[in-house]
Each structure stands twice: as structure tokens, then as C-alpha cells.
Amino acid sequence: MPHTKRRRLVTTALAVALGATTLAACGSGDDSKSESGPVSLTYWTWTPGMDKVVDLWNKGPGKKDRITVTAKKQAGGDTLITKILTAHKAKQAPDLVQAEYQALPTLVSNGALADISKQVGDVKNKFAEGVWQQTTLGTDAVYAVPQDIGPMMFYYREDLFKQYGLTVPTTWDQFAETARQLKKKAPDKALTTFSANDSGLFAGLAQQAGAKWWTTSGSKWKVAIDDPATQKVATFWGGLVKEGVIDNQPMYTPSWNKALDTGKQIAWVSAVWAPGTLTTAAPDTKGKWAMAPLPQWSASQDVTGSWGGSSTAVTTDSAHKDAAAKFAAWLNTDHDALDALAKDSGIYPASTSAQLSGAFSNPPAYFSNQADFYPKAAEIAKTTAPSAWGPNVNVAYATFNDAFGAAAKNKSDFAAALKQMQDATVADMKKQGFEVSQ
């Protein structure tokens, strides 16, 4: 599952109001020193097995170009972002860093990431438009190369759906009706749960509905977490919880694992990485689940949200930005590199061409009953909606956990919880010195 536990990030005096123009200019240009001689680069990453992938580079294209990369394992999430910002303040950040998409605005607003559009712009067509957009922050700049993604999908117990005469929902209205039908036929079961302990899930659902939580206009940020699209999502899930047709317990707990493993919950709204979680959470139900596209808000739509994923960025402190950008592009577009990342690191690549080759030729072992798992996943991934992240995602996520956690537990107003999320995010941005409009 993706990193989602958010702590307040270190911010510096550079965290000032950024408009689209400022964002595009931040870290732009290339002041790399001459790279005619041997170049040594350092890459901070949390991905397991990355050293094996880096070895492929060092023995192949890196050897030819005399560019050596050393991967240094780091803690992920906010711990890494804080460490990067601290190192950058001392002008000692590594050449390359792995960063979750939602962390990019924080790193850019602190001047830590270089614009590498001139070096990697030609790989844009390797990625779905909604995925590539996450590395541009809506500007002409490119602050990273997409590495892995988490397109969202619907997982369900195929055997139990058949047993209870349920149809796989293709719209959210059908999803709600399926939850009601199941509750009538089997009062001791629930279709799924609403969980407030992983804010990435809610963010992805809002993204699918068309939400853009952070945008810029001139020199001001606009925060629209409490927008109509997100209100629709919050009201929908809050209504199901209050109605009692879905559970209100958090995910990833022993009781949640047991509910999945025993059939007390028979579906899960998740992402492409779900097979790994289900293998541990519900080992006794291997081969009984199936995957389908996420339900849509209208039958004519075909769009999904994203839950998790990361990118490879070049820092402004690097003295060898061209070489670093060359490695970042190779790492995330080369067939052998991506195949190794999939096999040794368990990632689902952002590169569209890699989603149907190598490690993805066969379905996950847990879904051996669904031969078209990865072809279907690749089609879904193409429909990933654009996202709009801001410089204090950590505050929004932390407030979600608290406000929606209480609302889910008490079966109270989700709309009020959403307003808390909006207000806390705006207040924090103003406190940091950003100009904010609502």
C-alpha cells in the first residue's frame, strides 16, 4: 500500500506564494558542470531492490556514458521529504530523489527540484496524460519522471457475488444499490467499508469525480477541497455509512483482514497494488476475487482516480543535472529497467508500454483465476484523471484522518468533516505565507 501517514513537513523561507509562472521558473535552466569526464550520482529512494536496477545501469548505459549511480535506501513518505528539504537548505541534497506525486509541490515550492523539461520532454508520450500531468504541476516545466502509479479499481468476491445474485456495479448508484441488496440478503455481511485511516483512497475518489483541490491563479493558490465534486463523494459515502449498508471500520486492522478473509466484507475499492495486500490480509480467499473498473458517476464516463505512486526527480543541488535526468528517463522508460523494477521491487510502472510486458505477462498469483488482470489494468490506467496537489498535502491528509475518522465512527455528517479539512488546509497555507483564495 502507498505511504500515507502524514506529518508536518519542514518548510523554509522559500515556501512563498507560487503562481503558475513562478512554479515554471523555479529550478528552471541547467547549470550542470561539464559532464565530459566520469560522473557519479547519488539517488535517494525507498524502493526495495533498487540497487539491482541501478546495477543494470552501471554495467550498461551508465558504463558507456561514464555515469555511475549509487542508490541510497531511505525511509519513505514525509520522513524522506523532510530529509531532502533539510539537505537542500544546506545545498547538499542528492542528485536524484524518489518522490510521491503529492509531495512534488512541497519540494518545488522550496526550490529543491530542477525543471528537466529540456532533458526528458521527449518521453512524455510514454505515459498517460493524467499521469504525466502530475509531474508538471500544470505548467510547462517538468519536475520529475513518473515511476509507478496506482490506478484505482473495484475488487470483489466473484463467488459471493454469484451466490447472492449480485451484479458488478458500473456506476456509483449501482454500487449503493448492491450494498443495500447484500445487506437485505445477508445482514451479517457488508459490501465494503469506509475507512478514514488512508487519506489517499478518498483523494483518489475525489480525483475521479473531477476534484482539483489545489490550483494557482496569478500569485495565489486556490484551495477547493470543499468543492462540489468532493462534496458529492463525501455525501455519497457518508450516506452509505449512516444507512448502515456498509461498514465504518478502518482498513489494515486485524478485524478488517478477518472480514475480508471470512467473507464478512465482499468487495474493496482499491488500486492496482491490491493483490499484494490481499495476499496477506485474506490468504484463504486466493483465487476467489476478481477485478473490475471503478464504478462511474455516470454511465457515459470512463475515468479512474489514482491512489499512490511516485516519481524520480533531479534536485537543484545536483552539479550534473543532464546526467541525472538521463538516468531518470532510463529508469522509468527502459524495458529491462522496468522489468527489473517490477520483479525486484513489486511496482506497477507508469510507462504504458511496460504495463503489458515482462513481469505483467501473467496475472498476479492471487488472481490466477483472472487471466486478463493486467491487460484490464493497463486499459484502466489510461483513464487516470488529472490531479492537482498543493504544498501542504500533509495537513489536508492529517485533517481528513481526524475529521472523517470521527464522522465515520459516529455516523455523523461527512460534509462537515470535509469543511474541517478545507478550513485547516487554508489556515495552514496562510500561516506559511501563501496567498490563498477560496
Side-chain angles (χ1 to χ4, degrees), residues 47-48 148 273 340-349 360:
T47 299
D148 59 297
W273 42 261
L341 277 172
K343 292 178 178 177
D344 295 326
S345 307
I347 74 151
Y348 185 73
F360 304 100

Side-chain angles (χ1 to χ4, degrees), residues 311-359:
S311 63
T312 309
V314 177
T315 72
T316 51
D317 292 341
S318 175
H320 306 288
K321 296 182 182 64
D322 286 342
K326 181 179 289 189
F327 170 76
W330 172 87
L331 177 66
N332 299 306
T333 62
D334 180 81
H335 176 273
D336 291 338
L338 290 168
D339 194 47
L341 277 172
K343 292 178 178 177
D344 295 326
S345 307
I347 74 151
Y348 185 73
S351 169
T352 54
S353 63
Q355 293 164 5
L356 291 173
S357 63

Side-chain angles (χ1 to χ4, degrees), residues 220-384:
K220 293 185 177 181
W221 282 94
K222 180 178 180 181
V223 181
I225 294 174
D226 195 16
D227 70 342
T230 312
Q231 289 175 6
K232 177 170 65 176
V233 174
T235 300
F236 175 81
W237 286 93
L240 293 179
V241 169
K242 189 172 184 178
E243 192 178 339
V245 293
I246 65 171
D247 199 1
N248 62 344
Q249 301 302 309
M251 301 178 292
Y252 315 136
T253 63
S255 60
W256 179 75
N257 292 347
K258 185 177 180 180
L260 293 180
D261 205 28
T262 60
K264 291 292 184 181
Q265 288 184 27
I266 69 170
W268 184 28
V269 175
S270 188
V272 70
W273 42 261
T277 301
L278 290 171
T279 297
T280 302
D284 294 338
T285 59
K286 177 181 178 181
K288 297 181 179 180
W289 291 77
M291 177 270 285
L294 205 61
Q296 303 293 310
W297 285 105
S298 71
S300 62
Q301 288 182 315
D302 184 16
V303 62
T304 194
S306 182
W307 184 2
S310 65
S311 63
T312 309
V314 177
T315 72
T316 51
D317 292 341
S318 175
H320 306 288
K321 296 182 182 64
D322 286 342
K326 181 179 289 189
F327 170 76
W330 172 87
L331 177 66
N332 299 306
T333 62
D334 180 81
H335 176 273
D336 291 338
L338 290 168
D339 194 47
L341 277 172
K343 292 178 178 177
D344 295 326
S345 307
I347 74 151
Y348 185 73
S351 169
T352 54
S353 63
Q355 293 164 5
L356 291 173
S357 63
F360 304 100
S361 300
N362 298 309
Y366 193 90
F367 282 81
S368 58
N369 55 304
Q370 189 171 3
D372 67 344
F373 183 95
Y374 282 125
K376 182 175 288 188
E379 288 301 312
I380 293 171
K382 293 177 183 177
T383 70
T384 302

Side-chain angles (χ1 to χ4, degrees), residues 47 78 107 148 184 244 299 361 373 378 390 399 402:
T47 299
D78 292 342
L107 293 171
D148 59 297
K184 288 180 181 178
S361 300
F373 183 95
T399 308
D402 294 339

